[in-house]
Amino acid sequence: MKTFGKNALFASVAIAIGFIGQPALADDIQPYFNARVNAPAIQADLEQKAIEIIDMANETLDMAFYDVDLEGIRDAMIRAQNERGVIVRFVTDNDNTGEENAAFLEGLDAAGIPWIDDTADGSAGSGLQHNKWIVADGRHVFMGSTNLTQSGVHGDLNAEGELISDGNDNHMVYIDSVQLSDEIRTQMDYMWGDGPGGNSDSMFGLSKPDHQRTTVYTTNDNIRIDVHFTPQSKSTFAGSGLDTIIKWVSDDADGRIDVAQFVISSQDVADAMELRHDAGMPVRGIGDSSFFFRDYSEFNDMRGVEIAKDDGTFEIDSFTGTPNNVWENPVDVRVASVMGGDKWHHKYYAADSSVLTGSHNTSGAASFTNDEAIIIIYDQETASEFEGHFSVAYCFAGGGAEEDCLDSGVVAPPETDPVAGTWEGVVFTESEVSAVLDIANNANTKTLDNDVGLDSRAARNISKAGTITTMDELADVAYVGTSALNKLKDYIPVWQAK
C-alpha cells in the first residue's frame, strides 16, 4: 500500500550521500533536517533515515517516541524482529495510543512486537514520555526533535490522501557512540521494567533514579557529547535540565547563540542569555507562532515587549518563581515561516563550536515533569551544519526571498529526485520507481531470480504479470513484499550499469 511522502526539495549534497542499503555515514555525527538548508547542512527524508537506522539493527533495537504513526517505521520494526531476530523494545506516551495511532500499534501487536506506554508503572501516565530516539545494536543512535508521524515528517493529508502541507520543521541527528547508547539503554531499562503484561515495575518521571549531565564520546572520532535525562525534582534547580541549558549558555556558547525553540518559557534561561547578550554575544531566535506571543513566552522578553496576563498581571515563572524580565537591549527574534498548520518543532541552541539539542523544550514541564533527553555536541562541524539550517529559516522568517536566503542565488534547490512514496515499508524516489519498473518489465526470470536475488516464486510471478505500470501493481504481485522491493531497489545501480 502506498503512503505519501514529503515532496521535499533536496539539495544536491543530500542526494550525493543518499543511501542504498546500509547508510554510508561520513563520520560519527550527522544531523539531518527536513526543511531547506544551506551547505554544509543536509536536507533529508527523516522517515527514510529512521528506517535506515532501524535496518542497521541485527541484535537489539530500542525506540522511545512521544508519537509515531508512520507505516514505514512500523514495517521496519517488524522486519527487524521477524526477519533478522532483533530484540525490539518500543516505549511511547499514553496520549498517543488512540485512534490516530491504532494502525501503527495494532500492526506491532499483530507482529508480536512488544511495546508499552507510560502507564506501565501502574499510574495514569507520567507528565509526558517525550523522548525521541532510536538505538540500534547498542551503538547507532538517532535522536532529535522529531515525532515520526505524518504531520511531523511529511505534512498533513486531505481526505483524498494528498499532501496539503510541508510537515513540521524538524531535525534528527545520527550519532555513532557506544557510550551514549549505554546511557540511553539504562533509561530504557528503567522505563521498560519487565515489559508489557508483567509487573508494574516500569519507572517513569520522578520515579526513575536521577541522571544528571554525563560526558560520553563517539566511537571513532572521540567527539565529546554531554547527555542529560529528565526529570529532576523542581525543589532542586541545580542539576536540572534547565540548569544544564543555563550552564551551556553561560559557559560553553561561543561566537553566537542561535535559539531554535518550539516554546521557551523558562525565565531563568532567558535571563542567562540576556547576560551573555549584554556582554556582546550575538543572539538570534526563531519560535513557533502557537507560543511566540503568549504572556509566558520568553521571546517577548527577548524582543523587549511585556505582555500582561488576562488578569492584568505579568508572568512569574511557575516552576522557579523568577519574575518577568524584559530585555533592555532587545534582539531580533522571529516567528518561523512554515506552511499552514505545520509547526516549528525544534529544540536546539547553536553556537560556533557546540550544539544543544534533544527532545527537551525550554520549559519547566520538560525539566521537572517529563521524560526527556538533552544532548550537547561539542563539534564545530556539527555546529556549522546547524547554522546552515538556522540561517535559512531565520532569513525566511524575516520575509526574505529565496534568492536572498539560499546560497549561490539559487531560487530553490532542484527537485532532482523527490520521494514518490512508500510501498511495503520501502521508500522510493521518482527515479527509483522508474528504474524498478524497468527492471520488472525487462529483466528475465533468471536475472530476477539469480542476480536480483528474489524468491523464485516472486521472480516467476513478475515475469508472468505482463506490463507493470505502477508500483501498486508491482506490490500486488504474489510473493513481492518488503524483501523483494528492497532487493529490486538495491539492484538499480547494477541494472543501470548494463
Side-chain angles (χ1 to χ4, degrees):
M1 176 181 178
K2 178 180 178 182
T3 56
F4 288 85
K6 185 176 182 181
N7 192 16
L9 301 173
F10 288 94
S12 58
V13 65
I15 297 166
I17 70 161
F19 297 111
I20 297 177
Q22 294 297 311
L25 298 161
D27 52 30
D28 280 353
I29 299 175
Q30 181 58 67
Y32 296 103
F33 304 88
N34 68 336
R36 286 178 290 182
V37 297
N38 283 329
I42 295 175
Q43 181 183 357
D45 180 339
L46 298 181
E47 178 185 10
Q48 178 60 17
K49 296 304 174 191
I51 290 170
E52 288 161 354
I53 301 302
I54 294 170
D55 285 346
M56 295 174 75
N58 290 303
E59 297 179 358
T60 61
L61 179 66
D62 281 343
M63 297 177 58
F65 282 88
Y66 174 67
D67 195 4
V68 188
D69 64 20
L70 292 171
E71 293 179 7
I73 301 299
R74 178 200 65 198
D75 294 345
M77 295 168 68
I78 294 171
R79 286 199 306 275
Q81 175 175 283
N82 294 353
E83 295 183 13
R84 302 193 302 278
V86 175
I87 298 172
V88 179
R89 301 190 295 181
F90 174 60
V91 180
T92 189
D93 187 84
N94 73 305
D95 285 351
N96 296 302
T97 57
E99 182 178 351
E100 292 185 0
N101 304 83
F104 180 89
L105 296 174
E106 289 169 3
L108 295 187
D109 288 338
I113 303 287
W115 64 273
I116 64 169
D117 62 35
D118 57 337
T119 64
D121 59 357
S123 73
S126 63
L128 293 176
Q129 193 297 115
H130 201 241
N131 293 302
K132 308 167 200 309
W133 66 54
I134 301 170
V135 181
D137 285 354
R139 173 172 176 174
H140 305 287
V141 180
F142 198 56
M143 62 191 303
S145 67
T146 309
N147 291 310
L148 295 174
T149 63
Q150 178 66 39
S151 60
V153 176
H154 301 300
D156 297 324
L157 304 176
N158 63 17
E160 288 72 42
E162 300 168 332
L163 281 171
I164 56 174
S165 74
D166 288 336
N168 296 343
D169 205 316
N170 265 312
H171 74 278
M172 293 293 275
V173 185
Y174 168 79
I175 303 170
D176 183 345
S177 174
V178 173
Q179 294 179 15
L180 177 59
S181 297
D182 287 345
E183 298 295 330
I184 294 174
R185 183 175 62 249
T186 297
Q187 296 297 306
M188 284 292 298
D189 289 345
Y190 291 148
M191 294 188 293
W192 192 253
D194 61 359
N199 298 317
S200 298
D201 56 356
S202 295
M203 290 185 284
F204 292 90
L206 290 171
S207 68
K208 294 185 305 183
D210 193 16
H211 189 299
Q212 297 186 15
R213 185 171 175 176
T214 301
T215 297
V216 298
Y217 294 88
T218 64
T219 303
N220 303 298
D221 300 328
N222 206 40
I223 298 169
R224 175 186 167 186
I225 298 173
D226 285 4
V227 58
H228 186 145
F229 299 100
T230 70
Q232 280 78 36
S233 172
K234 68 177 182 179
S235 63
T236 306
F237 187 85
S240 67
L242 293 178
D243 189 40
T244 287
I245 297 173
I246 289 170
K247 287 178 178 176
W248 179 86
V249 166
S250 302
D251 302 333
D252 295 343
D254 62 328
R256 62 187 166 93
I257 298 176
D258 286 340
V259 182
Q261 292 289 312
F262 178 55
V263 57
I264 174 172
S265 61
S266 169
Q267 187 67 57
D268 300 88
V269 171
D271 289 353
M273 286 194 291
E274 183 186 23
L275 291 174
R276 293 300 307 274
H277 174 59
D278 287 347
M281 176 72 75
V283 177
R284 302 181 295 178
I286 308 174
D288 187 72
S289 61
S290 62
F291 289 102
F292 194 93
F293 298 105
R294 297 194 186 190
D295 60 79
Y296 57 78
S297 170
E298 302 310 327
F299 283 119
N300 293 318
D301 287 0
M302 296 169 70
R303 64 193 181 98
V305 175
E306 191 168 39
I307 295 181
K309 297 189 291 184
D310 290 342
D311 63 4
T313 63
F314 295 98
E315 173 234 2
I316 296 175
D317 192 295
S318 60
F319 284 89
T320 65
T322 305
N324 198 48
N325 174 37
V326 176
W327 289 22
E328 293 184 4
N329 300 304
V331 294
D332 186 1
V333 292
R334 302 174 180 180
V335 176
S337 176
V338 294
M339 184 178 182
D342 292 341
K343 301 294 185 184
W344 172 262
H345 199 243
H346 298 282
K347 298 96 168 55
Y348 75 77
Y349 294 84
D352 281 357
S353 301
S354 62
V355 174
L356 185 152
T357 186
S359 66
H360 189 292
N361 291 307
T362 308
S363 69
S367 190
F368 303 118
T369 306
N370 299 345
D371 294 284
E372 307 268 11
I374 297 171
I375 55 171
I376 306 174
I377 303 170
Y378 293 89
D379 179 56
Q380 189 170 7
E381 180 179 350
T382 300
S384 296
E385 290 169 313
F386 274 85
E387 200 281 332
H389 169 261
F390 188 92
S391 62
V392 172
Y394 192 72
C395 181
F396 282 130
E402 291 181 328
E403 58 266 29
D404 300 320
C405 299
L406 298 169
D407 283 345
S408 305
V410 178
V411 172
E415 290 191 59
T416 307
D417 201 10
V419 172
T422 303
W423 289 267
E424 303 297 330
V426 184
V427 179
F428 288 87
T429 64
E430 289 184 359
S431 70
E432 288 170 340
V433 166
S434 178
V436 164
L437 292 178
D438 185 44
I439 296 168
N441 288 311
N442 294 296
N444 58 35
T445 304
K446 182 178 179 181
T447 298
L448 293 172
D449 189 357
N450 297 336
D451 297 345
V452 179
L454 300 184
D455 182 291
S456 59
R457 295 166 296 185
R460 288 195 300 271
N461 290 335
I462 290 172
S463 296
K464 291 177 181 179
T467 301
I468 299 173
T469 59
T470 68
M471 289 296 294
D472 288 334
E473 292 177 8
L474 178 59
D476 286 340
V477 172
Y479 295 101
V480 174
T482 300
S483 177
L485 291 178
N486 271 317
K487 289 177 180 179
L488 286 164
K489 182 177 176 180
D490 290 345
Y491 190 68
I492 290 172
V494 178
W495 178 257
Q496 292 177 333
K498 290 186 175 181

